[in-house]
């Protein structure tokens, strides 16, 4: 892996992290595709987007943060290691928790949940109606 743009210290720490997690370079399938988004003709001509597939875990990562292919290779490996680490830990990351929370909020309520909400509203209205002011029925 020749990363000319990334400093040797960062490259060394990435390789150390790969060894610590037991990820080998042979297990990673690397593809280069054309990026999308801003960048004009340069983006349309060069394949700077990096797609990594870690065969043992089945995790696939796509990175097109930078215009440079070398930087995208480095960032893609870092993202891949983050995902592998999260999978090995078994703990959900904060980002995954946030996504799950938003998904629950947007999810349509079931018929039973709607009925329960309406029943609670009726019950609350009944309680409030008993709090009405006392009227006197006799004339003075």
């Amino acid at each position: 892996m020749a990363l000319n743009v990334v400093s040797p210290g960062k490259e060394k720490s990435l390789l150390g992290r790969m060894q610590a997690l037991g990820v080998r370079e042979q297990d990673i399938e690397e593809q280069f595709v054309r990026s999308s988004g801003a960048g004009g003709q340069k983006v349309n001509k060069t394949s700077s987007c990096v797609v990594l597939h870690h065969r043992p875990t089945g995790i696939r990562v796509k990175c097109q943060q930078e215009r440079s292919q070398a930087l995208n290779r480095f960032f893609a490996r870092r993202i891949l290691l983050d995902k592998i680490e999260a999978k090995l830990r078994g703990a959900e990351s904060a980002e995954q928790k946030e996504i799950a929370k938003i998904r629950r909020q947007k999810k349509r309520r079931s018929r039973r949940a709607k009925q329960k909400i309406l029943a609670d509203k009726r019950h609350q209205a009944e309680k409030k109606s008993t709090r009405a002011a006392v009227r006197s029925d006799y004339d003075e």
Side-chain angles (χ1 to χ4, degrees):
M1 179 171 69
L3 301 175
N4 319 9
V5 183
V6 182
S7 68
K10 287 184 179 179
E11 188 176 342
K12 190 175 181 181
S13 69
L14 181 75
L15 291 172
R17 194 169 163 212
M18 284 175 75
Q19 288 176 349
L21 290 172
V23 177
R24 297 179 314 165
E25 196 64 41
Q26 296 87 359
D27 295 339
I28 298 174
E29 186 179 310
E30 191 172 38
Q31 261 184 319
F32 302 105
V33 293
R34 294 207 175 121
S35 297
S36 62
Q41 291 178 355
K42 175 72 172 165
V43 167
N44 298 332
K45 291 177 187 173
T46 59
S47 298
S48 59
C49 180
V50 179
V51 179
L52 296 180
H53 179 229
H54 186 245
R55 287 186 220 106
T57 57
I59 296 174
R60 193 175 294 269
V61 171
K62 183 177 181 182
C63 181
Q64 58 181 15
Q65 292 176 8
E66 301 292 327
R67 286 187 185 181
S68 164
Q69 190 182 78
L71 271 175
N72 283 334
R73 288 181 76 202
F74 175 76
F75 288 136
R77 278 174 172 70
R78 242 181 20 189
I79 295 166
L80 180 71
L81 291 176
D82 289 342
K83 289 192 176 197
I84 291 171
E85 191 173 17
K87 189 172 186 176
L88 290 175
R89 267 198 326 241
E92 286 189 42
S93 67
E95 183 181 345
Q96 288 173 331
K97 285 182 182 178
E98 188 66 29
I99 290 169
K101 180 182 175 185
I102 291 170
R103 190 175 291 135
R104 281 193 306 273
Q105 287 174 346
K106 289 184 176 182
K107 187 178 176 185
R108 190 173 171 175
R109 285 197 175 104
S110 67
R111 183 178 291 135
R112 187 174 171 93
K114 286 180 187 176
Q115 288 173 348
K116 187 176 179 183
I117 289 170
L118 286 173
D120 286 343
K121 282 186 176 184
R122 279 190 223 103
H123 178 70
Q124 193 68 22
E126 207 174 292
K127 279 199 304 189
K128 284 194 167 200
S129 67
T130 59
R131 294 181 194 157
V134 178
R135 289 180 275 161
S136 60
D137 292 334
Y138 64 92
D139 295 61
E140 287 185 36

